């Protein structure tokens, strides 16, 4: 790998769980919770998380964020400070606040494995729990699954564009906040990015850490020659940033350093961070090769996304790795999915929403994915209890508020699974230059029948 890389041991679970707690909730969820309790509505509810449509520039989404949701649910509770704050709102009875202080998540969760390609209307995560519990976790579920799925869906495109060249997350400084930066690093690694520049994300999720120098290091010295010599001496196998003043002159300085050090020269790569990266990389490669430095790799960064990476690869730019930042962590071209968390069943009775352009398929569901010759060929959204052709995608991940044991949960294993899943997609869905491919997703007769019955019933109300 071209940049300095370190893999740092993962923290314990207690260090990984976010400290936001149950108060990461919207007010209306708490007001509904009190109203549910007042009306005796404490039966089992099923809520499903899905998105209604794909952005124009996406052919599929990559599911992510499930494990962070499970961390949150296992630790779910309102502490004394939370209860005291809620009391100051003068909306909630003392009896309700006592009930809330004793509340824990006791439900079940089903989800598609992280790294699974998903399509509109397909449940990504399903909460089966007492109505109050299921309602109160809505905001956190959506926050985590939405953000990480958005970033993973972007990252996998950048990785595909690289055609085997390493891609590194450089985006934490421009992410929308610290939690977004950490979760973007996690989701990007899941999707195939090689590592991150952010040390907290690297430590938290056991992701390889990458990084070398900034332009300020070179600027602090009187000239590049001194800066490069000092850094290379301290960090064998490093990458030198060569474009502070003039890119090709910087490359020549690296060649001069190699001549002076001889066998002691140990620079792994040069990094280009500005200008015409295609022409500069070719000129840099020619100069390095002429000096006998074929082993020195080239890393490129500077406002890249999948289109920029694909363009560079397409003209045979001799670039070995790409640093991708802002446009990755913000998913600049498609920063949101139309993701929702909807009640589909209560006490065994199917429920729906019939708002214009926002109808919800009722009932607890399962997604069945078919494949032919190792390639996915279509999905069917069926009732949870149906037995339809294909592999069921939703699997149990939590039972009675506790994680189901024996599942694949390590980020590296999930990453491996994501790679296999993406490789099984039809080739037209994996194209970077055009997002015109469509994937067949149908709804079973039973699910469609439930929706029709509820529509007819609504006409009589």
């Amino acid at each position: 790998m071209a940049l300095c890389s370190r893999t740092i041991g993962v923290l314990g679970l207690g260090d990984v769980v976010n400290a936001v707690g149950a108060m990461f909730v919207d007010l209306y969820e708490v007001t509904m919770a009190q109203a549910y309790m007042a009306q005796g509505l404490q039966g089992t509810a099923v809520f499903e998380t899905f998105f209604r449509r794909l952005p124009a520039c996406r052919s599929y989404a990559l599911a992510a964020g499930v494990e962070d949701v499970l961390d949150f649910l296992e630790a779910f509770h309102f502490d004394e400070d939370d209860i005291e704050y809620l009391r100051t709102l003068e909306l909630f009875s003392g009896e309700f606040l006592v009930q809330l202080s004793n509340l824990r998540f006791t439900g079940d969760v089903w989800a598609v494995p992280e790294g699974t390609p998903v399509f509109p209307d397909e449940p990504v995560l399903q909460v089966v729990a007492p109505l109050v519990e299921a309602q109160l976790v809505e905001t956190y579920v959506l926050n985590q699954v939405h953000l990480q799925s958005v970033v993973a869906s972007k990252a996998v495109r950048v990785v595909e564009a690289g055609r085997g060249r390493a891609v590194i997350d450089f985006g934490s400084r421009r992410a929308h906040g610290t939690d977004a930066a950490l979760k973007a690093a996690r989701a990007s690694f899941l999707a195939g990015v090689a590592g991150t520049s952010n040390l907290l994300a690297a430590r938290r999720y056991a992701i390889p850490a990458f990084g070398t120098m900034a332009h300020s290091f070179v600027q602090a010295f009187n000239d590049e020659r001194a800066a490069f010599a000092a850094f290379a001496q301290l960090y064998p196998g490093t990458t030198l940033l060569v474009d502070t003043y003039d890119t090709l002159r910087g490359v020549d300085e690296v060649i001069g350093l190699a001549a002076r050090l001889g066998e002691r020269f140990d620079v792994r790569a040069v990094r280009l961070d500005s200008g015409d990266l295609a022409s500069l990389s070719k000129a840099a490669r020619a100069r390095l090769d002429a000096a006998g430095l074929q082993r020195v790799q080239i890393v490129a960064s500077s406002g890249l996304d999948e289109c920029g990476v694909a363009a560079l690869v397409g003209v045979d730019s001799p670039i070995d790795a790409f640093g991708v930042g802002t446009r990755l962590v913000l998913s600049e071209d498609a920063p949101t999915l139309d993701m929702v968390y909807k009640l589909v069943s209560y006490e065994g009775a199917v429920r729906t929403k019939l708002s214009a352009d926002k109808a919800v398929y009722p009932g607890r569901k399962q997604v069945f994915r078919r494949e032919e010759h190792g390639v996915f060929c279509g999905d069917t959204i069926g009732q949870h209890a149906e037995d339809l052709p294909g592999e069921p995608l939703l699997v149990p991940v939590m039972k009675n508020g506790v994680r189901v044991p024996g599942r694949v949960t390590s980020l590296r294993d999930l990453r491996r699974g994501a790679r296999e899943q993406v490789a099984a997609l039809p080739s037209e869905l994996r194209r970077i230059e055009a997002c015109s491919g469509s994937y067949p997703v149908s709804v079973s007769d039973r699910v469609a029948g439930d929706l029709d019955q509820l529509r007819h019933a609504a006409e009589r109300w």
Side-chain angles (χ1 to χ4, degrees), residues 23-66:
M23 278 294 282
F24 193 83
V25 61
D26 289 317
L27 175 60
Y28 82 126
E29 291 156 23
V30 188
T31 57
M32 284 193 292
Q34 179 170 243
Y36 289 148
M37 288 186 173
Q39 296 299 314
L41 295 174
Q42 300 186 49
T44 299
V46 180
F47 282 79
E48 291 180 343
T49 299
F50 61 95
F51 58 91
R52 295 189 177 99
R53 57 189 64 86
L54 282 164
C57 49
R58 297 287 183 273
S59 299
Y60 65 94
L62 205 64
V66 172

Side-chain angles (χ1 to χ4, degrees), residues 146-397:
H146 175 263
L147 170 67
Q148 295 192 50
S149 297
V150 164
V151 175
S153 302
K154 178 70 169 181
V156 72
R157 287 171 55 81
V158 182
V159 171
E160 292 265 278
R163 298 184 187 176
R165 297 161 181 83
V167 174
I168 302 153
D169 158 40
F170 279 5
S172 60
R173 65 190 58 196
R174 290 186 182 155
H176 290 166
T178 53
D179 185 65
L182 296 173
K183 299 306 170 57
R186 179 189 186 277
S188 296
F189 187 70
L190 169 72
V193 167
T196 180
S197 64
N198 187 275
L199 284 177
L200 181 56
R203 184 178 72 171
R204 177 169 290 186
Y205 298 116
I207 298 172
F210 290 86
T212 54
M213 60 162 62
H215 296 103
S216 55
F217 185 85
V218 177
Q219 292 171 288
F221 288 75
N222 290 332
D223 54 48
E224 281 183 313
R225 177 175 299 185
F228 289 172
F231 207 80
Q233 181 179 14
L234 188 59
Y235 299 108
T238 193
T239 296
L240 297 176
L241 182 60
V242 295
D243 75 323
T244 303
Y245 305 116
D246 178 272
T247 299
L248 295 181
R249 192 177 72 191
V251 173
D252 288 340
E253 288 290 355
V254 174
I255 293 170
L257 179 64
R260 293 192 300 275
L261 293 180
E263 292 183 357
R264 293 180 293 121
F265 176 77
D266 188 9
V267 171
R268 192 173 302 175
V270 297
R271 178 178 156 214
L272 318 179
D273 190 46
S274 59
D276 183 340
L277 297 176
S279 61
L280 287 171
S281 65
K282 291 176 181 178
R285 183 76 272 158
R287 295 189 185 198
L288 291 168
D289 289 352
L293 297 177
Q294 290 86 353
R295 68 185 182 280
V296 175
Q297 297 182 338
I298 296 175
V299 180
S301 54
S302 185
L304 293 174
D305 60 8
E306 68 269 39
C307 297
V309 170
L312 290 167
V313 172
V315 295
D316 296 323
S317 302
I319 296 171
D320 301 285
F322 298 96
V324 183
T326 305
R327 294 179 179 176
L328 169 62
V329 299
L330 301 184
S331 187
E332 190 174 63
D333 62 327
T336 64
L337 283 168
D338 188 16
M339 189 169 280
V340 292
Y341 179 89
K342 294 299 179 183
L343 177 69
V344 296
S345 174
Y346 180 66
E347 285 289 79
V350 297
R351 296 287 191 263
T352 190
K353 174 183 176 181
L354 296 174
S355 306
D357 299 321
K358 293 185 176 181
V360 173
Y361 287 114
R364 185 179 177 187
K365 293 178 285 296
Q366 178 61 273
V367 181
F368 300 88
R369 177 158 293 167
R370 301 180 302 281
E371 69 174 70
E372 293 179 357
H373 310 296
V375 178
F376 299 143
C377 60
D379 294 354
T380 303
I381 302 172
Q383 290 181 347
H384 181 76
E386 284 192 89
D387 184 11
L388 298 174
E391 178 185 0
L393 298 187
L394 291 156
V395 297
V397 295

